[in-house]
Amino acid sequence: MKTVFFAEDEPLARDVLRDAICAHEGLRLVGEAADGAAALASINRLRPEVVFMDIQMPEMTGLEVLRRLDYLPQIVFTTAYDQYAVTAFELNAVDYLLKPFTRARFDAAVARLLDAPQRSPGELADTLLQAGQREVRRVERILVRDRGRIFPLAVGDIEYMKSDSKYTVIVARGQNFLVRLGIAELEAQLDPARFIRIHRSVLVNLDFVESMTPDDQSQLQIEMRDGTRLGANREASRALRDMSI
Protein backbone atom coordinates (compact mmCIF):
# COMPACT_ATOMS: atom_id res chain seq x y z
CA MET A 1 0.00 0.00 0.00
CA LYS A 2 1.34 3.42 -1.00
CA THR A 3 0.99 6.57 1.10
CA VAL A 4 -0.71 9.39 -0.79
CA PHE A 5 -0.99 13.16 -0.53
CA PHE A 6 -2.99 15.39 -2.85
CA ALA A 7 -2.97 19.12 -3.60
CA GLU A 8 -6.08 20.68 -5.10
CA ASP A 9 -7.64 24.10 -4.54
CA GLU A 10 -11.17 23.43 -5.83
CA PRO A 11 -13.46 22.02 -3.10
CA LEU A 12 -15.45 19.77 -5.44
CA ALA A 13 -12.31 18.37 -7.03
CA ARG A 14 -10.87 17.76 -3.54
CA ASP A 15 -13.95 15.73 -2.65
CA VAL A 16 -13.66 13.68 -5.84
CA LEU A 17 -9.97 12.92 -5.29
CA ARG A 18 -10.40 12.17 -1.59
CA ASP A 19 -13.19 9.69 -2.28
CA ALA A 20 -11.26 7.99 -5.09
CA ILE A 21 -8.07 7.66 -3.03
CA CYS A 22 -9.83 6.38 0.08
CA ALA A 23 -11.80 3.84 -1.96
CA HIS A 24 -8.67 2.29 -3.49
CA GLU A 25 -7.21 -0.59 -1.50
CA GLY A 26 -3.69 0.11 -2.77
CA LEU A 27 -3.57 3.69 -1.43
CA ARG A 28 -3.52 5.29 2.02
CA LEU A 29 -4.27 9.02 2.25
CA VAL A 30 -1.94 10.86 4.64
CA GLY A 31 -2.75 14.51 3.87
CA GLU A 32 -4.07 17.16 1.52
CA ALA A 33 -3.57 20.87 0.75
CA ALA A 34 -5.55 23.61 -0.99
CA ASP A 35 -2.62 25.80 -2.12
CA GLY A 36 0.93 25.43 -3.34
CA ALA A 37 2.72 26.75 -0.25
CA ALA A 38 0.86 24.40 2.10
CA ALA A 39 1.47 21.52 -0.29
CA LEU A 40 5.22 22.15 -0.36
CA ALA A 41 5.53 22.25 3.43
CA SER A 42 3.31 19.22 4.00
CA ILE A 43 4.86 17.02 1.33
CA ASN A 44 8.39 17.68 2.60
CA ARG A 45 7.23 16.91 6.15
CA LEU A 46 5.06 13.86 5.47
CA ARG A 47 7.16 12.47 2.60
CA PRO A 48 4.34 10.50 0.94
CA GLU A 49 5.21 8.00 -1.75
CA VAL A 50 2.61 9.42 -4.16
CA VAL A 51 1.32 12.94 -4.79
CA PHE A 52 -1.68 13.90 -6.90
CA MET A 53 -0.82 17.47 -7.84
CA ASP A 54 -3.03 20.15 -9.35
CA ILE A 55 -1.03 22.57 -11.51
CA GLN A 56 -2.91 25.86 -11.08
CA MET A 57 -3.15 26.69 -7.36
CA PRO A 58 -2.87 29.80 -5.17
CA GLU A 59 0.56 30.76 -3.77
CA MET A 60 2.54 28.67 -6.27
CA THR A 61 1.83 26.26 -9.11
CA GLY A 62 2.17 22.51 -8.86
CA LEU A 63 5.22 22.67 -11.13
CA GLU A 64 6.87 25.18 -8.77
CA VAL A 65 6.08 22.93 -5.80
CA LEU A 66 7.68 19.97 -7.54
CA ARG A 67 10.87 21.87 -8.31
CA ARG A 68 11.21 22.97 -4.66
CA LEU A 69 10.69 19.58 -3.00
CA ASP A 70 13.72 18.11 -1.24
CA TYR A 71 12.82 14.66 -2.56
CA LEU A 72 10.61 13.43 -5.40
CA PRO A 73 7.57 11.25 -4.78
CA GLN A 74 5.71 9.61 -7.62
CA ILE A 75 3.63 12.36 -9.23
CA VAL A 76 0.28 12.31 -10.97
CA PHE A 77 -0.69 15.75 -12.24
CA THR A 78 -4.38 16.70 -12.21
CA THR A 79 -5.44 19.71 -14.27
CA ALA A 80 -8.05 21.05 -16.68
CA TYR A 81 -5.37 22.29 -19.12
CA ASP A 82 -3.68 20.00 -21.61
CA GLN A 83 -0.84 22.41 -22.46
CA TYR A 84 1.13 21.22 -19.41
CA ALA A 85 1.23 17.58 -20.49
CA VAL A 86 4.65 17.85 -22.14
CA THR A 87 6.15 19.53 -19.08
CA ALA A 88 4.60 16.94 -16.79
CA PHE A 89 6.13 14.04 -18.67
CA GLU A 90 9.48 15.82 -18.98
CA LEU A 91 9.40 15.79 -15.17
CA ASN A 92 8.71 12.05 -15.34
CA ALA A 93 5.21 12.27 -13.96
CA VAL A 94 3.68 8.82 -13.79
CA ASP A 95 0.43 10.06 -15.27
CA TYR A 96 -1.56 13.17 -16.19
CA LEU A 97 -5.26 13.28 -15.33
CA LEU A 98 -7.21 15.81 -17.34
CA LYS A 99 -10.18 17.05 -15.31
CA PRO A 100 -12.92 16.06 -15.12
CA PHE A 101 -11.77 12.43 -15.10
CA THR A 102 -13.72 9.23 -14.51
CA ARG A 103 -13.11 6.69 -11.75
CA ALA A 104 -11.93 4.25 -14.43
CA ARG A 105 -9.34 6.79 -15.60
CA PHE A 106 -8.23 7.32 -11.99
CA ASP A 107 -7.88 3.56 -11.46
CA ALA A 108 -5.76 3.33 -14.62
CA ALA A 109 -3.43 6.01 -13.23
CA VAL A 110 -3.12 4.11 -9.94
CA ALA A 111 -2.28 0.93 -11.82
CA ARG A 112 0.57 2.78 -13.50
CA LEU A 113 1.68 4.10 -10.11
CA LEU A 114 1.83 0.65 -8.59
CA ASP A 115 3.86 -0.67 -11.52
CA ALA A 116 6.23 2.30 -11.90
CA PRO A 117 9.78 1.97 -10.51
CA GLN A 118 11.11 4.47 -7.98
CA ARG A 119 13.87 6.81 -9.20
CA SER A 120 17.20 7.39 -7.58
CA PRO A 121 18.25 10.84 -6.20
CA GLY A 122 20.67 11.17 -9.12
CA GLU A 123 17.91 10.61 -11.65
CA LEU A 124 15.80 13.21 -9.87
CA ALA A 125 18.54 15.84 -10.03
CA ASP A 126 19.08 15.21 -13.75
CA THR A 127 15.33 15.36 -14.45
CA LEU A 128 14.83 18.69 -12.67
CA LEU A 129 17.92 20.20 -14.29
CA GLN A 130 16.75 19.22 -17.78
CA ALA A 131 13.26 20.55 -17.08
CA GLY A 132 14.64 23.88 -15.93
CA GLN A 133 16.68 24.21 -19.10
CA ARG A 134 13.97 23.16 -21.57
CA GLU A 135 12.88 25.49 -24.33
CA VAL A 136 9.52 27.21 -23.88
CA ARG A 137 6.90 25.68 -26.15
CA ARG A 138 4.19 27.80 -27.71
CA VAL A 139 0.71 26.41 -27.25
CA GLU A 140 -1.72 26.20 -30.15
CA ARG A 141 -4.89 25.75 -28.10
CA ILE A 142 -6.22 26.21 -24.58
CA LEU A 143 -8.91 24.09 -22.97
CA VAL A 144 -11.79 26.27 -21.77
CA ARG A 145 -15.12 25.62 -20.08
CA ASP A 146 -18.52 26.80 -21.28
CA ARG A 147 -21.87 25.78 -19.76
CA GLY A 148 -20.54 22.49 -18.45
CA ARG A 149 -18.54 21.63 -21.54
CA ILE A 150 -14.76 21.60 -21.95
CA PHE A 151 -13.39 22.23 -25.43
CA PRO A 152 -10.18 23.39 -27.12
CA LEU A 153 -9.97 27.06 -28.07
CA ALA A 154 -7.48 27.85 -30.82
CA VAL A 155 -4.97 30.49 -29.80
CA GLY A 156 -5.57 32.29 -33.10
CA ASP A 157 -9.20 32.89 -32.09
CA ILE A 158 -8.24 34.76 -28.91
CA GLU A 159 -8.87 38.50 -29.27
CA TYR A 160 -7.64 39.73 -25.89
CA MET A 161 -7.35 38.73 -22.23
CA LYS A 162 -7.96 40.55 -18.97
CA SER A 163 -6.72 39.19 -15.68
CA ASP A 164 -6.63 39.58 -11.92
CA SER A 165 -4.11 37.76 -9.72
CA LYS A 166 -5.64 34.31 -10.18
CA TYR A 167 -8.19 34.27 -13.01
CA THR A 168 -8.07 35.39 -16.62
CA VAL A 169 -10.99 36.24 -18.88
CA ILE A 170 -10.31 35.19 -22.46
CA VAL A 171 -12.36 37.00 -25.10
CA ALA A 172 -12.80 34.97 -28.27
CA ARG A 173 -15.52 34.20 -30.81
CA GLY A 174 -17.70 36.86 -29.23
CA GLN A 175 -17.69 35.07 -25.88
CA ASN A 176 -15.89 35.38 -22.53
CA PHE A 177 -14.16 32.32 -21.05
CA LEU A 178 -12.86 32.30 -17.48
CA VAL A 179 -9.72 30.23 -16.89
CA ARG A 180 -7.66 29.55 -13.78
CA LEU A 181 -4.39 30.77 -15.25
CA GLY A 182 -2.56 33.99 -14.51
CA ILE A 183 -1.93 36.24 -17.47
CA ALA A 184 1.85 35.98 -17.06
CA GLU A 185 1.71 32.20 -17.44
CA LEU A 186 -0.44 32.51 -20.53
CA GLU A 187 1.79 35.17 -22.04
CA ALA A 188 4.87 32.96 -21.60
CA GLN A 189 3.28 30.30 -23.82
CA LEU A 190 2.07 32.60 -26.60
CA ASP A 191 3.80 34.06 -29.63
CA PRO A 192 5.25 37.45 -28.56
CA ALA A 193 5.05 38.73 -32.14
CA ARG A 194 1.26 38.37 -32.02
CA PHE A 195 0.30 38.82 -28.36
CA ILE A 196 1.36 42.06 -26.67
CA ARG A 197 0.94 42.93 -22.97
CA ILE A 198 -0.43 46.47 -23.08
CA HIS A 199 -1.03 46.69 -19.35
CA ARG A 200 -0.16 44.63 -16.28
CA SER A 201 -3.49 42.83 -16.60
CA VAL A 202 -4.30 43.06 -20.34
CA LEU A 203 -2.91 41.05 -23.24
CA VAL A 204 -4.08 41.71 -26.81
CA ASN A 205 -3.83 39.79 -30.05
CA LEU A 206 -2.61 42.30 -32.66
CA ASP A 207 -4.57 40.42 -35.33
CA PHE A 208 -7.76 41.77 -33.73
CA VAL A 209 -6.66 45.39 -33.22
CA GLU A 210 -8.63 47.85 -35.36
CA SER A 211 -6.59 50.98 -34.57
CA MET A 212 -4.39 52.72 -31.98
CA THR A 213 -4.75 56.40 -31.12
CA PRO A 214 -2.57 58.44 -28.71
CA ASP A 215 -4.33 60.23 -25.85
CA ASP A 216 -3.34 63.52 -24.19
CA GLN A 217 -0.48 61.77 -22.36
CA SER A 218 0.76 60.16 -25.60
CA GLN A 219 -0.35 56.74 -24.38
CA LEU A 220 -2.11 54.62 -26.94
CA GLN A 221 -5.82 53.88 -26.76
CA ILE A 222 -6.39 50.60 -28.56
CA GLU A 223 -9.67 49.87 -30.30
CA MET A 224 -10.38 46.20 -30.90
CA ARG A 225 -12.47 44.96 -33.83
CA ASP A 226 -15.41 44.30 -31.51
CA GLY A 227 -15.40 47.98 -30.47
CA THR A 228 -13.75 47.46 -27.07
CA ARG A 229 -11.28 50.22 -26.12
CA LEU A 230 -8.24 49.27 -24.06
CA GLY A 231 -5.58 51.59 -22.70
CA ALA A 232 -1.90 50.79 -23.18
CA ASN A 233 0.55 51.88 -20.48
CA ARG A 234 3.53 54.07 -21.27
CA GLU A 235 5.98 51.20 -21.77
CA ALA A 236 3.63 49.25 -24.05
CA SER A 237 2.79 52.40 -26.02
CA ARG A 238 6.47 52.99 -26.66
CA ALA A 239 6.98 49.38 -27.74
CA LEU A 240 4.03 49.51 -30.13
CA ARG A 241 5.31 52.73 -31.68
CA ASP A 242 8.70 51.10 -32.18
CA MET A 243 6.99 48.26 -34.05
CA SER A 244 5.40 50.62 -36.57
CA ILE A 245 7.10 51.25 -39.91
Side-chain angles (χ1 to χ4, degrees), residues 2 24 40 43 59 63-64 94 96 108 120 131 139 146 150-151 153 155 170 178 180 182 198 212 218 228 240 244:
K2 287 183 178 284
H24 201 289
L40 177 62
I43 294 169
E59 306 295 338
L63 296 174
E64 291 171 326
V94 176
Y96 186 94
S120 70
V139 297
D146 180 46
I150 298 176
F151 63 92
L153 176 67
V155 164
I170 296 177
L178 185 67
R180 295 176 60 83
I198 64 167
M212 294 178 277
S218 297
T228 301
L240 287 166
S244 63

Side-chain angles (χ1 to χ4, degrees), residues 9-207:
D9 70 324
E10 295 183 359
L12 180 58
R14 278 204 303 275
D15 292 343
V16 170
L17 264 176
R18 187 184 305 110
D19 290 347
I21 292 167
C22 292
H24 201 289
E25 62 182 11
L27 306 176
R28 179 168 66 88
L29 183 63
V30 297
E32 61 185 78
D35 64 72
L40 177 62
S42 295
I43 294 169
N44 277 335
R45 176 173 54 86
L46 296 170
R47 303 185 77 82
E49 296 170 89
V50 176
V51 173
F52 287 85
M53 181 78 76
D54 190 11
I55 292 182
Q56 284 303 314
M57 295 185 291
E59 306 295 338
M60 66 180 71
T61 69
L63 296 174
E64 291 171 326
V65 171
L66 178 58
R67 293 191 177 99
R68 294 174 63 176
L69 290 176
D70 57 21
Y71 84 111
L72 187 64
Q74 290 179 291
I75 298 289
V76 176
F77 283 110
T78 61
T79 181
Y81 307 104
D82 68 348
Q83 64 262 36
Y84 294 105
V86 172
T87 301
F89 287 113
E90 283 180 343
L91 291 170
N92 287 343
V94 176
D95 210 337
Y96 186 94
L97 293 177
L98 194 62
K99 297 186 288 189
F101 49 83
T102 63
R103 184 62 65 90
R105 180 67 184 87
F106 175 86
D107 289 342
V110 174
R112 294 188 66 182
L113 278 169
L114 298 177
D115 290 340
Q118 292 284 1
R119 284 170 289 165
S120 70
E123 290 173 325
L124 166 60
D126 289 344
T127 296
L128 295 180
L129 178 62
Q130 291 166 9
Q133 294 175 340
R134 72 185 184 283
E135 181 181 356
V136 174
R137 290 172 170 81
R138 306 299 178 195
V139 297
E140 296 181 1
R141 63 192 61 82
I142 296 172
L143 289 184
V144 297
R145 298 174 186 265
D146 180 46
R147 289 171 290 187
R149 298 178 304 130
I150 298 176
F151 63 92
L153 176 67
V155 164
D157 290 338
I158 296 173
E159 299 168 33
Y160 60 93
M161 308 178 193
K162 301 183 76 171
S163 175
D164 58 23
S165 61
K166 185 177 178 181
Y167 298 93
T168 299
V169 175
I170 296 177
V171 179
R173 305 176 184 172
Q175 294 180 263
N176 291 355
F177 304 99
L178 185 67
V179 299
R180 295 176 60 83
L181 281 174
I183 202 165
E185 286 187 83
L186 285 165
E187 181 184 21
Q189 300 175 75
L190 299 172
D191 181 359
R194 172 185 282 182
F195 289 89
I196 304 295
R197 183 95 76 100
I198 64 167
H199 187 273
R200 180 178 57 86
S201 60
V202 180
L203 191 68
V204 300
N205 183 348
L206 290 177
D207 292 343

